[in-house]
Amino acid sequence: MCIVSFITQYCPRFPLILIGNRDEVLSRLTHPLAVDGATGLLWSVDGVAGGSWLGLDLAHGRLATVTNCRRAPTAPLLQPLPADAAWRGAAPLEEARQFSSVVDGPDGLPTLNYDPPTSRGTIIRDFLCRGALPGDGDGDGGDAARPRALWPPYYAGYNLLSCDHVLSAAEPITMHYTTNRFGAQRRTPLSHGAVHVLQNTHVDNWAEPKSCLLADRLREALAREVRPLAADAPLDVGRLSSALADHCLCATPQFDLLRMLADIREDPRADAAALAKAAAWEALLASADPLLGWTPGELTADFGLDASPAALEQRQRAERRKEAHLQRNICVPAEGGYGTRVQSVVVVERPSPADPACVVHFAQREVGHVGGLTPEAQHTLSADELFRPGPWKRYAVTSHEARAC
């Protein structure tokens, strides 16, 4: 799980502020934030797959960040598409069948994993280097009746936030959203002046408790830390990065979504608003089931899975528990070698109202974890007791240079 929040056009001086956590296997090789001489990109490169989750193109000012989407390729889309027996959800049925395999899921129960040959790591690289998004070009087999986000090549689920230019505010800096799951949006502009949040379902999914909390925390931090700088007060980027990350990205609310849901269901006084919230939570808990879209017959014939009602219900309960666990915290304490690995802050500043030129302040820090803690102990400790954030690695980027700070 990863989480990103941002706002565009907060004020004339700050046309973009973006913050985010990357959750990852803590031992996975990741290179620190640096200028890549081979590509001209400022990014932190994954040492295993070679891609990145957040980067800036120094030549043209393109900015992008990507998160995985945990939605199965066969899961229904949110928009109606032409009936086609060869398609299932967001992919051709044969494509989903060919690249899905049986793996151990939650509680050790067998489930499906979709792993197509085209890596999602190419998506952010192609946009930063060439300005290209999935579905650009002539389609090469794309179906004109389907959204371009669903044209080949086919990827595992992804969410991409992209901005065509952040080094100049001559035109409004706008963030666009592209995904190959849920609504299959492509290059959809997101509204200015509002706080947006993206996890691993779809953008602005306010059924996610920690998305709601992160949005609230960012609004608070903007009012307290950024609004006083809106005119010409001196900007201390290191201090601002720490203030935004400490207040927003280090939160450990320990949401227990299953308990929250049960409290509403068991409350005879629950009103319509509470019941609607419960229904949204139920949909969230079911949204990442890898078996969505497959029929019981297909699960048995194609993958050898037990698709009896009892077995399917057991898997669904396990997937619900997993999804609820992933919603517990914004900053994820180390558990099983996995947790929040890196925190990022990007602040685009327009120093002079008379000049559209911008400075991109790009900062990242490693999140150290206090070792030797049991899950039970983690649930009772504060962020200060769980994490040991490292120093910021910072760059200031203009159209002329990228300078390490």
Side-chain angles (χ1 to χ4, degrees):
M1 293 283 284
C2 297
I3 191 166
V4 178
S5 187
F6 69 92
I7 186 170
T8 54
Q9 309 306 322
Y10 177 69
C11 64
R13 184 178 181 182
F14 298 110
L16 172 63
I17 295 174
L18 179 146
I19 61 175
N21 280 347
R22 184 200 188 201
D23 302 338
E24 186 54 86
V25 175
L26 299 177
S27 61
R28 187 181 180 102
L29 176 63
T30 302
H31 300 291
L33 180 68
V35 176
D36 184 345
T39 61
L41 304 180
L42 175 61
W43 60 355
S44 180
V45 178
D46 183 285
V48 177
S52 186
W53 66 97
L54 172 65
L56 173 66
D57 162 43
L58 302 181
H60 304 93
R62 288 186 285 261
L63 177 77
T65 185
V66 67
T67 71
N68 295 344
C69 179
R70 298 198 331 107
R71 185 83 161 168
T74 49
L77 294 168
L78 299 185
Q79 56 176 304
L81 295 177
D84 187 342
W87 270 76
R88 185 72 56 81
L93 182 57
E94 187 53 40
E95 163 80 15
R97 181 181 286 118
Q98 181 180 358
F99 296 109
S100 293
S101 59
V102 178
V103 298
D104 287 339
D107 297 347
L109 298 172
T111 190
L112 294 182
N113 179 58
Y114 176 63
D115 187 19
T118 308
S119 170
R120 288 171 291 200
T122 63
I123 297 172
I124 190 168
R125 184 197 64 201
D126 289 348
F127 176 77
L128 293 176
C129 291
R130 302 188 290 109
L133 291 176
D136 281 349
D138 59 11
D140 190 23
D143 184 345
R146 299 185 182 279
R148 280 179 168 263
L150 303 183
W151 286 14
Y154 302 106
Y155 300 92
Y158 71 85
N159 293 300
L160 178 72
L161 296 173
S162 61
C163 188
D164 294 320
H165 62 88
V166 292
L167 293 175
S168 172
E171 297 181 6
I173 292 176
T174 301
M175 194 70 77
H176 296 85
Y177 176 56
T178 300
T179 183
N180 64 343
R181 298 291 186 266
F182 288 100
Q185 297 97 318
R186 183 177 178 277
R187 209 186 289 268
T188 298
L190 299 175
S191 59
H192 296 309
V195 170
H196 300 276
V197 181
L198 175 64
Q199 285 193 60
N200 301 90
T201 56
H202 56 80
V203 71
D204 295 343
N205 185 351
W206 304 122
E208 299 167 335
K210 68 181 188 182
S211 288
C212 296
L213 177 62
L214 182 56
D216 289 342
R217 289 288 184 102
L218 183 53
R219 292 185 193 102
E220 293 168 359
L222 291 170
R224 184 174 60 247
E225 305 292 343
V226 181
R227 188 175 297 162
L229 303 172
D232 56 358
L235 173 61
D236 182 335
V237 177
R239 180 192 172 282
L240 179 60
S241 297
S242 293
L244 292 173
D246 291 349
H247 184 67
C248 303
L249 297 178
C250 290
T252 53
Q254 301 291 350
F255 288 121
D256 186 343
L257 191 52
L258 293 176
R259 181 67 261 168
M260 294 157 60
L261 185 58
D263 287 345
I264 292 179
R265 295 296 192 203
E266 296 168 3
D267 184 357
R269 299 167 300 173
D271 59 16
L275 294 175
K277 180 181 291 187
W281 288 343
E282 288 280 13
L284 170 65
L285 292 173
S287 66
D289 186 342
L291 305 187
L292 282 176
W294 295 101
T295 68
E298 291 166 340
L299 292 173
T300 300
D302 296 337
F303 304 106
L305 291 176
D306 180 355
S308 66
L312 291 176
E313 183 179 356
Q314 186 180 23
R315 289 193 192 93
Q316 289 166 359
R317 287 198 302 267
E319 289 293 341
R320 282 165 51 86
R321 288 193 295 270
K322 177 180 178 179
E323 188 63 33
H325 183 74
L326 292 173
Q327 285 296 323
R328 290 193 74 92
N329 295 303
I330 291 173
C331 196
V332 180
E335 184 177 348
Y338 181 91
T340 296
R341 177 75 179 275
V342 175
Q343 295 181 329
S344 304
V345 174
V346 177
V347 176
V348 179
E349 179 193 14
R350 182 179 181 177
S352 171
D355 187 346
C358 293
V359 180
V360 180
H361 304 284
F362 196 144
Q364 279 188 350
R365 70 181 183 184
E366 292 276 341
V367 177
H369 293 257
V370 176
L373 300 176
T374 65
E376 292 75 17
Q378 290 176 346
H379 294 171
T380 64
L381 298 177
S382 68
D384 290 341
E385 297 170 303
L386 290 169
F387 309 114
R388 296 289 183 267
W392 291 102
K393 185 157 191 180
R394 297 192 289 114
Y395 282 81
V397 181
T398 68
S399 58
H400 307 293
E401 64 175 348
R403 175 173 51 85
C405 302

